[in-house]
Amino acid sequence: MGKKIKEWLQSLSFRTGVIVLLCCIPFYILSFAQMLLPISTTAKGVLWAVLFGLAKTCQYGGLTILGVEGYKRLRDKFRKKQEA
């Protein structure tokens, strides 16, 4: 089952991988920002676990979609922008 999911994710496009990878940023922010809400500690813990889990899922899903070649392509693109 896990192997089928991995193969399906790797068949998606580079652009989809970048979008999924970028989706982890708002989830990371929300997972810690929710600590400022005036709710119970238990609710904060549950919210943190759910939001942090979603962030990790997006992160690993995006990396799986991108794969090694996509990661190298993305890294080279950012290096070129920094040099310019």
Side-chain angles (χ1 to χ4, degrees):
M1 176 80 171
K3 190 173 182 175
K4 286 184 180 183
I5 293 173
K6 184 179 176 183
E7 289 172 0
W8 175 73
L9 287 173
Q10 289 175 336
S11 71
L12 296 173
S13 71
F14 178 82
R15 182 177 178 180
T16 303
V18 171
I19 291 169
V20 171
L21 195 57
L22 290 176
C23 286
C24 74
I25 295 170
F27 286 125
Y28 277 125
I29 292 169
L30 288 173
S31 68
F32 291 102
Q34 58 81 28
M35 295 294 180
L36 300 173
L37 295 174
I39 55 178
S40 71
T41 306
T42 305
K44 288 180 183 182
V46 170
L47 275 174
W48 182 84
V50 169
L51 292 169
F52 197 77
L54 286 170
K56 284 295 185 184
T57 302
C58 288
Q59 180 182 358
Y60 294 137
L63 289 174
T64 303
I65 294 168
L66 289 176
V68 175
E69 291 303 316
Y71 172 73
K72 288 179 184 176
R73 182 175 162 187
L74 191 62
R75 185 185 65 202
D76 292 341
K77 190 171 191 169
F78 281 117
R79 283 187 181 167
K80 287 179 185 177
K81 284 185 179 180
Q82 288 177 352
E83 291 174 359

